[in-house]
Each structure stands twice: as C-alpha cells, then as structure tokens.
Amino acid sequence: MLKALIVEDDKLLAASLKAAIAGKFDADVCYNGLDGQKLVNENVYDFVIADSILPGMGGIDLLDYIREEKELKIPVIVITIAESTEEKARVMKHRVTEYLPRVADASLLLTTMSNLLQRENNLKGEHEIKELVLDLKNELVKTDTKTLDTIKGKYLELLSFFVINNNIVLEKEEIFDRVWGVDSETTINAIEVYISGLRKELRKIGYDKNLRTVRGVGYTFE
C-alpha cells in the first residue's frame, strides 16, 4: 500500500482526510509543519497533503522544502480555506502539485491524488508518448519518420504539458494555470486558440486526433 503524510492542525479534518484515503494509502498524521518536515526527513512517502496555514511551518513552505531542499518529486496537495492568487502561484510553480480548497467530497480528493500519481509516473520517462518525442532543448517534435520544427514557444509548452499528463482529462483552468501562470494577463479564452493551432501542426504528423476535447470539462491527450 502507498504511504502518505497528512499535515493538518485541525484534528477532525486530519482524521477525515485519513479516512478518505484509507483504502489506497497508509497515512501518518501530524499537526504542525515542523513535525511534517521531521517526518519527511525520517520516512519515505508516496504523497503529502498539507494545509497552507500551519503552526511552525506553513504547507507551502513545507512544499518548497520538499522540492528544493530534499529534491523530492513526490506528489503534494496543499489545501486552503480561502484561495489566494499569490499562494496558488507559489504552489503551481512546482510540478506534480495541486492547490485545493478544503472539501468534504472524498471522491474529488482521490481523483486529484490519482491524477498526480499518474503525472509523477509520466515524468519518470522522457517527454514522449507512443512514437511522439518532444525535444524541448532544440524545440523539435519527432516521430519515427518525421521531424516537426514549427511547434515552438507556448505551443511547445502546451504540448509538453499534455504529454506529461497523457490520458488525464485536464480542465481549462488547470491548463491555463500551468502553461500561462495564475497571474498571467492573458485570458483563459486563449486556450481554445492555441489548441486549434496546435491541432493544425499535429495534423502534419498524424497526431491531431490524439488531442481530444472533453465537452464541458477541458482536453486530454491520448
């Protein structure tokens, strides 16, 4: 069974979170950020859930520690009472992370955790899916028989995000936050324009149908 760490100073919420994930995760629980830091140093975890506001060390500072000091790529969810654009930007700069409001819906939490675990697994390999390979350094998209050098800039960032998250349905807001940034002056409507342009380029190598629209939700790359 996978092992998770829950860092939450609200003991009732901590118990609720532990119960919600009990079928898939064996969870350790602590009630302040410094204890969370200590447990991360002493144990191997597959997942961390931390409140954004904690005694000793906040959840976002703990996330920074996990990524920058420990250099761990494990999935992390930071939960919050009131969403802050500044906080969200700090969380979303890291890969394999999510910033969620406190929710009573256990299915949403488990779905988010499943998606993050899939994303982590995808990142263990190169940026590729099937015969499609992304060369980010040289800004090339390649198959076994063709090389495409016309997907660049935001188009390449967008395709890279889809490939990393292949077979995961991505909401428009998440795509925008990850590719453009939560504090971008560009509007979310830009996604549709870029998706259309990306499909046009992918058609040249026969991958346009892999980028699928999920009506009312967002997009997925299969």
Side-chain angles (χ1 to χ4, degrees), residues 6 13 37 50 52 82 88 96 108 112 114 121 123 133 149 176:
I6 297 170
L13 178 58
Q37 183 183 45
S52 62
K88 190 172 183 180
V96 204
L108 173 60
T112 303
S114 177
N121 186 60
L123 282 168
V133 179
D149 62 1
F176 185 80

Side-chain angles (χ1 to χ4, degrees), residues 158-183:
L158 183 60
L159 180 58
S160 174
F161 186 60
F162 277 123
V163 170
I164 289 170
N165 295 286
N166 66 82
N167 295 312
I168 297 173
V169 176
L170 301 168
E171 296 181 0
K172 283 185 178 181
E173 184 179 22
E174 180 178 7
I175 297 168
F176 185 80
D177 289 346
R178 293 288 183 179
V179 179
W180 279 267
V182 297
D183 52 357

Side-chain angles (χ1 to χ4, degrees), residues 1-5 25 44-48 74-76 117 120:
M1 183 176 285
L2 297 173
K3 189 170 184 178
L5 172 64
F25 294 87
V44 177
Y45 292 106
D46 301 292
F47 214 107
V48 173
I74 57 173
V76 177
L117 287 168
E120 180 197 25

